[in-house]
Amino acid sequence: MDADELAQQFRTGDGLIPPRLVSLMIDHGHVEKVRRQAGEDWNCAKGWARMLIEQGQRDAALQVLAPFVDTGWWIAASTAVDILEGGARPEEAIALIRPYTEAANFFAMFHLARLLARNDRSDEAIEMLRPHIERVDVASVLVEVTAGVGRDEEVAALLQARIDAARDRPHCMRYVEPSNAVHLLAVVRERQGRVDDAVALMRTSELTSDYGPDELADLLARHGRQDELRAYAAEKGSLTAAECLAQFLEERGEMEAAIEVLRPLVRSGSPGPAEALANLLARNGRVDEAIEMLRPVPYSITDDYEHRDYFAERLYTWLADQGRVEEALAIIDDFAVQEGGMSLHLLRQRVRLLSDSGRTDQAITELRVHPESGCWDGAELLADLLVRAGRLEDAIEVLQPVSGDGDGSNQNLLGELLIRQGRVEEAVAVLRTRWRQA
């Protein structure tokens, strides 16, 4: 085995039985097949190791993973580290992970820092992370692993020094390294109980990069500072701040006040505020009002189907939950008229609504007559409907002719159905065909 090849396999999935199918093989009693594949397939090795751990055979699980760990592949090593720690063997876990941190693997560094902190060795974690504090991710982990260990002032001083270094450079006020230094310093101050200092830090928006406005609203809400939060939301005029205030009021039972916070933003015609107010209404049992609030939104989005569908699917769900499926179907039909025909994309939404409302046979009939039902994504959708109807063999027949087409998802589905039918050798053959084609 080669670490680079294993890493490539892991990134792409090529050459591996998907984890979900490995679990399915185990659940359906094909354990021996998983064990035989474990020598060359990482997902099978991990699934087999998990079974052994559940049986109390932790050392045997480590032996299964050893060939992968021995390549120097980080993912395998991190899995073994977790198994060792789970077996109350932290020193062995630390010894295994440390060489990866010396090779400047920051994922390993963060894993080790958390491992050290969980085992009362935060001092070592701090010393390891300190030299790299200019990195956003390192600084975040440093603040995380020092919670509750009495080192807050030391961490605060490190962050303050980074902020001061940016402040001292002309025209560079926004270029703090790490860019989340102000946010993290506020986190430290808040957990010290110095909420006023945390609020003051969050108000220095010129230094907060992407973190300031939302975090300040959340901070004010967490500490019940309603007047400041209301003033801040009015000052910013942003949806995020308004939502935070509305949620604050909602949690205190002040529903009408929460609605009035969002209503002025809805009048702007932007979809976001309408969604926020609709969600607020729906959460509080006022679903009919939520539907009417959201109903115009999908129609207002004409140039981005993905954006439109995000709002439309929320609307369909609420209508269906209220027993108003025909209204939801009518909206899809309206979109089809606007687009000049029922695209497979719209039909996908229509047949799923039909199936979810107990009309799977009708959904299958409508899909079968669509001209794109024979393409790979149409076949996958049809197979899914057939599975819902309990017709697994029919679903397999639909998928087999197109199993080499598309993005590979239909091959995964075909493999799953074959496993569920006890045809595990055929399932593995289907997946191996995919690997060869890739």
Side-chain angles (χ1 to χ4, degrees), residues 303-323:
D303 57 349
D304 184 346
Y305 289 159
E306 185 175 347
H307 193 204
R308 180 195 71 185
D309 290 346
Y310 170 80
F311 295 101
E313 288 173 8
R314 178 70 56 85
L315 183 58
Y316 303 154
T317 299
W318 284 338
L319 285 166
D321 288 346
Q322 295 298 103

Side-chain angles (χ1 to χ4, degrees), residues 110 113-114 117 122 125-126 129 140-147 149 191:
F110 303 151
R114 294 181 175 109
S122 295
I126 294 169
L129 297 172
S140 296
V141 174
L142 178 62
V143 170
E144 173 193 332
V145 301
T146 53
V149 298
R191 75 190 187 193

Side-chain angles (χ1 to χ4, degrees), residues 23 50 65 74 81 85 103 154 178 180 186 195 200 208 216 248 263 266 284 314 328 345 365 382-383 402:
S23 297
R50 185 171 58 249
L65 301 183
W74 159 244
V81 165
E85 187 185 11
E154 181 181 349
N180 58 348
V195 180
T208 57
L216 177 53
F248 178 90
R263 199 178 295 281
V266 173
N284 289 274
R314 178 70 56 85
H345 175 71
T365 300
L382 178 55
V402 295

Side-chain angles (χ1 to χ4, degrees), residues 108-179:
M109 195 174 293
F110 303 151
H111 202 117
L112 178 57
R114 294 181 175 109
L115 175 59
L116 290 167
R118 286 194 295 269
N119 288 276
D120 300 321
R121 294 168 63 171
S122 295
D123 289 353
E124 294 175 59
I126 294 169
E127 291 310 309
M128 178 178 63
L129 297 172
R130 184 199 301 267
H132 309 285
I133 194 173
E134 74 281 357
R135 290 177 55 112
V136 168
D137 48 2
V138 171
S140 296
V141 174
L142 178 62
V143 170
E144 173 193 332
V145 301
T146 53
V149 298
R151 302 288 290 272
D152 281 346
E153 274 307 318
E154 181 181 349
V155 174
L158 290 171
L159 294 167
Q160 187 66 59
R162 304 302 303 181
I163 296 168
D164 292 343
R167 185 177 284 119
D168 291 342
R169 289 181 293 170
H171 311 298
C172 291
M173 294 289 281
R174 296 183 65 85
Y175 297 96
V176 184
E177 294 180 345
S179 61

Side-chain angles (χ1 to χ4, degrees), residues 179-258:
S179 61
N180 58 348
V182 172
H183 161 71
L184 292 175
L185 181 54
V187 168
V188 174
R189 294 307 186 203
E190 182 184 8
R191 75 190 187 193
Q192 289 179 301
R194 296 167 57 176
V195 180
D196 287 343
D197 289 344
V199 170
L201 280 161
M202 283 297 180
R203 288 193 180 280
T204 60
S205 57
E206 72 275 15
L207 291 177
T208 57
S209 184
D210 296 331
Y211 294 89
D214 297 345
E215 291 295 336
L216 177 53
D218 289 342
L219 176 63
L220 293 169
R222 275 198 302 277
H223 294 277
R225 299 168 75 142
Q226 181 177 166
D227 292 342
E228 291 172 78
L229 176 57
R230 190 179 291 278
Y232 176 69
E235 171 195 343
K236 296 299 292 185
S238 70
L239 176 58
T240 50
E243 280 189 288
C244 190
L245 174 57
Q247 183 178 349
F248 178 90
L249 294 167
E250 178 190 6
E251 289 172 353
R252 283 153 181 75
E254 300 178 44
M255 261 294 291
E256 293 307 317

Side-chain angles (χ1 to χ4, degrees), residues 91-102:
E91 295 304 323
E92 293 176 69
I94 291 167
L96 176 56
I97 200 173
R98 199 177 290 281
Y100 293 88
T101 67
E102 294 167 356

Side-chain angles (χ1 to χ4, degrees), residues 62-113:
L62 290 167
Q63 289 175 8
V64 169
L65 301 183
F68 299 89
V69 175
D70 290 345
T71 66
W73 182 39
W74 159 244
I75 296 295
S78 66
T79 304
V81 165
D82 291 340
I83 292 173
L84 287 166
E85 187 185 11
R89 295 155 67 178
E91 295 304 323
E92 293 176 69
I94 291 167
L96 176 56
I97 200 173
R98 199 177 290 281
Y100 293 88
T101 67
E102 294 167 356
N105 181 330
F106 281 96
F107 292 109
M109 195 174 293
F110 303 151
H111 202 117
L112 178 57

